[in-house]
Amino acid sequence: MMEEKEFSSKAYLDMELLRFTTAGSVDDGKSTLIGRLLYDSKSIFEDQLEAVKKASIKRGNESVDLSLLTDGLRAEREQGITIDVAYRYFATPKRKFIIADTPGHVQYTRNMVTGASTANAAIILIDARNGITEQSHRHTYIASLLQIPHIVVCVNKMDLVNYEEETYEKIKNDFQAFAAKLAVKDVRFVPISALKGDNVVEKSKNMPWYEGGTLMYILENIHISSDHNHIDARFPVQYVIRPQRDEFHDFRGYAGRVAGGTFKVGDKVMVLPSGFTTTVKSIISHTKEFEEAFPPMSVIISLEDDIDISRGDMIVKENNVPDIGQDIDIMMCWMSEKPMRLNGKYALKHTTADARCLIKDVKYKVNVNTLGKILDDKNIGLNEIARISLRTTKPLFYDSYRQNRKTGAIILIDEADNTTVGVGMIV
Amino acid sequence: MKKYNLNHLRELEAESIYVLREVAAQFERPALLFSGGKDSIILVHLSVKAFWPAKIPYPLVHIDTGHNFEETITFRDELCRKLEAQLIVGSVQESIDDGKVVEESGYNASRNLLQTTTLLDTIEKHKFDAAIGGGRRDEEKARAKERFFSHRDEFGQWDPKNQRPELWNIFNGKKIIGEHFRVFPISNWTEMDVWQYIYMENIDIPSLYYTHERDVFLRDGVWLYDAPFMTKKPDEKVERIRVRCRTIGDISCTGLTISMADSLEDIIQEIAATRITERGGRADDMRSEAAMEDRKKEGYF
């Protein structure tokens, strides 16, 4: 595999990347929690803190408002709310972290969905005083809909319930009962006080009854290398490489990012849609040759036989072919202020393929607060989630989103103004 | 079971290469904005990797303020020669001579802001439909909200409140004629990632990043290079000390760091220990709380 040069400072060698999402509003203590993770991992710089202090005083706040660190747009600072997804970065010697920080209210469902789409883990914040609320249901539902592999439930503000074990246990039991109805694989719980710092980075002395790790310990140690699908080999062709140079005159390679499974030199493969079979000749990236490629590597694959292949095609294994079809059901989140047009036509993007589609039917709409199905309302507007039937102009090569988050995802584009209006998870 | 995982730098690299190939596939006339700084050098390196053994399928565009460090220009020309890459230079001096922009005057005069006009003119003149830039989300709070594929209207403007949602790794580059996109393949990299990657991949960078002796003067807590065109206040004294650049931009707004770092290892150690962000030395960002957002809306990098 890859030989890496050693850093003189060992601390930065072999770090993994973990992407996680947080959803919540100011009242949940979300900004306090993020501020503490950043501050305690020394990722807030003096000039940033100085700027935030100045801005807090200007606004007449009594304490330093750490949300000003993430709320980057003028409108957000003026209104004191997070509108968009903000990405924050910090690192410990073990891992580099990307936080997709999203607002938590129902009118920002689309932002939560966006932040969740690339996350390995979701932090769900629950106020220990209030227990599980509609908002916790919604956040957990979105995490399960977007198939975030790991959920960390932080029972926050434990200092305000005297660090009582019973309060924590009750919330934990309630949550487990509720999560059993959803497709969540890995749920962990941690009692914290973001404000006081209990169990965030430092282990709390106030809760000796809690034997698990701190939030930071959990984030550093969640096993993420099996989050990718390593079974079903999928290579959507992104770009054809044909060098116009004498020394590589005969070279023809297919550039792309492995979306599932593994590809080895010598593997028998099939190309969709043509159905031709051939053998993997080489796997390269620049001057490096690989024996094997796996997700999420970006490589160039060359094949033994000369087959007509272009962008949007998919290289797979003969004995493990994805679904191929034009009638597709998706769970869709509508992202636009213009309502969805039933029987309307939209452009569609799926892996590296482009197509068009017709919205044929709304099977049901989801009430994101109660998770109940609404059967008699086919009007879909901004932030609404529904099960939809599509007919595409050409066959797509797809897996269910549950099996593969890359080959199971699509976006819908309004052809009048080119904006992304809907996002879908193939059922 | 065999372990299939990439370290954080390889994962970021794979993501960026994917984005660069999407640009080549989705646009007809893309270009790479090259400033001579480390971030754009990384973009060139990633572009080589993305398309090898084919050549980079887009030209490099340099918006030259005329106030660049000499080393930047030498480095740029040498890199283009080595890669057989096409170089297009947009000149701020020409924009001034044509009367399209007016040179700022006074002590804090900078050509940094004037670049926007030259950049938009260059994009229009060559009909570029995508301009790849080295912006990173960790650099500045307005950049933290930026998309990988960032839509610009026919005036080159950015509308931060009305951005297209961007999910998974599906990028929507659809547009009407006259509009263009700014694309930021290294959005998810931090300053530390950039330096670690330069070290891991052994990438050449301009000597300005290493310690060297230079005539400098102190203004508002920032060390600036005493270039001939810089206007000093009466009480600003020139000293010759050992400094290095942490970012490289137009001379008038590039703050220098007092440093003895003469190797990449030293630089990485220095970055790890530092408590000030790299843009803390950028005079252009200190103009107001929303300085970057305002410039970006108008079409800045």
Side-chain angles (χ1 to χ4, degrees):
Chain A
M1 207 74 357
M2 273 174 283
E3 292 287 323
E4 305 293 7
K5 192 156 62 171
E6 285 219 333
F7 287 108
S8 56
S9 53
K10 284 267 188 216
Y12 303 109
L13 185 70
D14 260 347
M15 282 160 58
E16 277 180 323
L17 181 61
L18 178 93
R19 300 171 202 247
F20 69 91
T21 173
T22 56
S25 50
V26 181
D27 322 332
D28 305 327
K30 182 197 64 168
S31 297
T32 316
L33 179 65
I34 291 178
R36 185 157 286 283
L37 285 171
L38 296 176
Y39 193 76
D40 287 359
S41 66
K42 298 191 171 52
S43 306
I44 296 178
F45 294 99
E46 278 168 14
D47 55 326
Q48 286 176 315
L49 197 62
E50 207 44 53
V52 168
K53 270 184 197 161
K54 264 193 223 158
S56 303
I57 292 165
K58 213 169 104 188
R59 270 171 193 72
N61 298 349
E62 276 180 20
S63 58
V64 177
D65 180 0
L66 287 167
S67 70
L68 293 171
L69 269 174
T70 48
D71 293 342
L73 301 176
R74 192 193 288 271
E76 292 178 316
R77 287 195 302 274
E78 280 167 4
Q79 298 168 44
I81 48 159
T82 314
I83 297 170
D84 209 331
V85 183
Y87 294 92
R88 299 287 314 178
Y89 303 83
F90 71 101
T92 67
K94 272 198 159 158
R95 273 186 179 162
K96 173 197 161 91
F97 297 94
I98 301 178
I99 312 175
D101 180 17
T102 62
H105 291 297
V106 68
Q107 65 266 37
Y108 300 112
T109 300
R110 65 168 173 170
N111 308 83
M112 288 181 252
V113 167
T114 301
S117 72
T118 51
N120 305 94
I123 290 184
I124 308 274
L125 270 171
I126 294 175
D127 188 325
R129 295 169 304 174
N130 305 335
I132 295 178
T133 60
E134 249 182 19
Q135 174 149 305
S136 345
H137 285 167
R138 192 168 64 242
H139 293 173
T140 312
Y141 174 66
I142 290 170
S144 80
L145 185 69
L146 274 291
Q147 287 283 300
I148 299 179
H150 313 280
I151 289 180
V152 186
V153 179
C154 290
V155 181
N156 191 22
K157 304 193 184 180
M158 286 301 291
D159 54 316
L160 299 181
V161 294
N162 299 317
Y163 299 107
E164 283 166 1
E165 186 177 5
E166 301 84 77
T167 308
Y168 167 74
E169 286 298 332
K170 175 164 191 324
I171 292 172
K172 189 174 160 180
N173 289 335
D174 289 352
F175 191 94
Q176 277 168 332
F178 155 73
K181 289 182 260 171
L182 298 170
V184 259
K185 293 171 209 152
D186 174 27
V187 187
R188 296 147 202 247
F189 298 85
V190 51
I192 66 166
S193 163
L195 189 69
K196 301 278 166 69
D198 294 277
N199 286 336
V200 179
V201 177
E202 301 290 334
K203 202 150 171 51
S204 171
K205 292 192 181 69
N206 298 311
M207 291 176 274
W209 46 264
Y210 173 70
E211 286 170 352
T214 62
L215 174 60
M216 185 69 100
Y217 178 87
I218 293 170
L219 291 174
E220 280 186 323
N221 291 284
I222 290 175
H223 183 64
I224 51 172
S225 61
S226 51
D227 288 357
H228 292 286
N229 177 327
H230 288 123
I231 296 159
D232 312 305
R234 307 283 184 259
F235 189 81
V237 175
Q238 200 187 357
Y239 193 77
V240 181
I241 304 280
R242 238 168 314 188
Q244 313 292 325
R245 293 181 176 182
D246 288 345
E247 72 256 54
F248 298 104
H249 198 73
D250 293 327
F251 184 88
R252 185 188 282 201
Y254 305 99
R257 204 170 180 194
V258 183
T262 65
F263 289 88
K264 288 192 197 69
V265 174
D267 273 353
K268 287 256 177 267
V269 291
M270 178 190 260
V271 182
L272 298 173
S274 68
F276 285 121
T277 55
T278 178
T279 307
V280 175
K281 185 175 170 186
S282 72
I283 302 169
I284 65 162
S285 169
H286 194 209
T287 50
K288 244 184 242 166
E289 289 201 27
F290 298 98
E291 275 303 306
E292 188 174 22
F294 52 87
M297 286 170 75
S298 280
V299 293
I300 294 170
I301 290 180
S302 69
L303 303 170
E304 288 292 353
D305 298 288
D306 218 0
I307 302 174
D308 180 26
I309 300 174
S310 50
R311 175 175 164 87
D313 291 359
M314 193 183 276
I315 301 175
V316 301
K317 303 263 177 81
E318 210 174 344
N319 56 0
N320 183 339
V321 176
D323 289 323
I324 301 172
Q326 290 174 263
D327 291 295
I328 292 163
D329 266 26
I330 59 170
M331 290 304 295
M332 183 188 73
C333 177
W334 195 250
M335 313 291 273
S336 168
E337 271 142 24
K338 285 188 289 181
M340 187 198 82
R341 287 174 284 118
L342 186 59
N343 296 315
K345 294 189 180 91
Y346 292 91
L348 175 155
K349 275 181 177 285
H350 168 252
T351 67
T352 57
D354 280 282
R356 298 178 69 220
C357 70
L358 174 75
I359 296 184
K360 274 170 39 190
D361 192 17
V362 177
K363 295 269 175 71
Y364 59 83
K365 210 153 102 168
V366 178
N367 177 327
V368 291
N369 291 325
T370 62
L371 308 191
K373 287 180 188 175
I374 305 164
L375 296 166
D376 53 357
D377 182 3
K378 296 195 189 275
N379 299 307
I380 308 295
L382 180 63
N383 292 315
E384 294 197 298
I385 292 170
R387 181 164 170 155
I388 304 288
S389 300
L390 301 176
R391 169 83 184 171
T392 59
T393 47
K394 63 175 194 189
L396 302 184
F397 324 121
Y398 64 93
D399 296 287
S400 72
Y401 186 79
R402 195 163 290 194
Q403 271 180 304
N404 191 319
R405 290 171 87 187
K406 297 194 182 77
T407 54
I410 63 167
I411 65 168
L412 299 182
I413 297 165
D414 188 326
E415 293 177 305
D417 61 8
N418 293 319
T419 54
T420 303
V421 290
V423 300
M425 284 69 61
I426 298 174
V427 177
Chain B
M1 201 183 106
K2 204 164 152 188
K3 250 186 118 186
Y4 291 112
N5 55 352
L6 298 180
N7 73 26
H8 71 296
L9 296 174
R10 290 293 172 216
E11 186 164 344
L12 291 171
E13 178 191 55
E15 175 178 89
S16 303
I17 287 175
Y18 184 85
V19 174
L20 288 166
R21 288 170 177 163
E22 280 303 293
V23 174
Q26 290 196 35
F27 296 97
E28 277 170 35
R29 297 180 65 85
L32 189 154
L33 300 177
F34 184 79
S35 71
K38 61 183 190 313
D39 300 318
S40 59
I41 291 169
I42 285 218
L43 286 181
V44 173
H45 183 83
L46 291 166
S47 298
V48 170
K49 285 195 138 184
F51 302 103
W52 178 269
K55 283 185 215 165
I56 303 176
Y58 34 77
L60 272 48
V61 171
H62 183 214
I63 301 304
D64 184 0
T65 61
H67 290 170
N68 278 294
F69 291 94
E70 216 180 285
E71 291 90 333
T72 305
I73 305 296
T74 318
F75 185 90
R76 175 195 79 189
D77 293 344
E78 177 60 20
L79 186 69
C80 289
R81 194 190 55 74
K82 225 168 47 193
L83 299 175
E84 301 171 51
Q86 192 198 345
L87 175 70
I88 291 168
V89 179
S91 158
V92 173
Q93 187 62 53
E94 265 173 41
S95 302
I96 295 170
D97 296 346
D98 292 350
K100 285 180 173 162
V101 291
V102 179
E103 178 121 51
E104 292 179 9
S105 59
Y107 293 122
N108 290 318
S110 169
R111 287 184 169 182
N112 189 57
L113 201 60
L114 310 186
Q115 290 183 97
T116 303
T117 302
T118 313
L119 172 61
L120 293 175
D121 283 352
T122 308
I123 287 171
E124 208 171 300
K125 182 178 160 196
H126 295 272
K127 298 193 166 56
F128 293 130
D129 55 0
I132 304 162
R136 309 191 322 264
R137 287 173 180 157
D138 83 318
E139 269 182 277
E140 213 280 338
K141 54 192 178 304
R143 289 215 201 270
K145 309 275 160 146
E146 187 65 272
R147 304 292 189 259
F148 278 90
F149 271 40
S150 181
H151 178 259
R152 300 299 145 111
D153 69 10
E154 64 269 46
F155 300 103
Q157 298 181 110
W158 181 52
D159 182 1
K161 277 196 274 187
N162 207 9
Q163 298 191 78
R164 293 180 184 180
E166 203 163 71
L167 288 89
W168 303 290
N169 55 356
I170 307 181
F171 300 104
N172 174 3
K174 287 183 190 284
K175 59 181 179 330
I176 55 168
I177 292 168
E179 297 177 340
H180 76 278
F181 272 78
R182 297 290 171 85
V183 181
F184 302 102
I186 59 167
S187 285
N188 278 331
W189 299 49
T190 61
E191 184 188 16
M192 184 53 114
D193 298 328
V194 166
W195 283 111
Q196 288 174 17
Y197 187 73
I198 289 172
Y199 183 76
M200 185 173 81
E201 293 279 293
N202 219 343
I203 300 170
D204 269 342
I205 51 168
S207 54
L208 292 165
Y209 282 115
Y210 299 107
T211 183
H212 57 280
E213 272 198 356
R214 188 175 287 275
D215 289 334
V216 295
F217 64 93
L218 193 62
R219 175 177 295 169
D220 301 331
V222 178
W223 290 100
L224 293 170
Y225 170 39
D226 181 35
F229 59 83
M230 296 285 273
T231 320
K232 289 186 291 294
K233 296 175 190 168
D235 59 335
E236 288 172 336
K237 279 204 305 281
V238 174
E239 292 174 58
R240 192 165 178 81
I241 51 174
R242 292 198 76 83
V243 292
R244 68 175 204 88
C245 290
R246 198 165 154 200
T247 66
I248 295 180
D250 183 87
I251 287 174
S252 64
C253 61
T254 301
L256 301 156
T257 310
I258 297 178
S259 168
M260 297 299 279
D262 64 357
S263 69
L264 286 170
E265 286 97 325
D266 287 353
I267 292 174
I268 290 172
Q269 299 296 354
E270 194 181 285
I271 304 289
T274 189
R275 301 299 309 137
I276 304 282
T277 62
E278 61 184 319
R279 294 198 80 89
R282 292 290 287 246
D284 46 339
D285 289 344
M286 303 201 299
R287 290 187 173 190
S288 91
E289 202 184 347
M292 175 66 97
E293 183 182 344
D294 293 343
R295 275 181 291 152
K296 280 182 66 65
K297 279 181 184 166
E298 285 161 16
Y300 186 73
F301 295 91

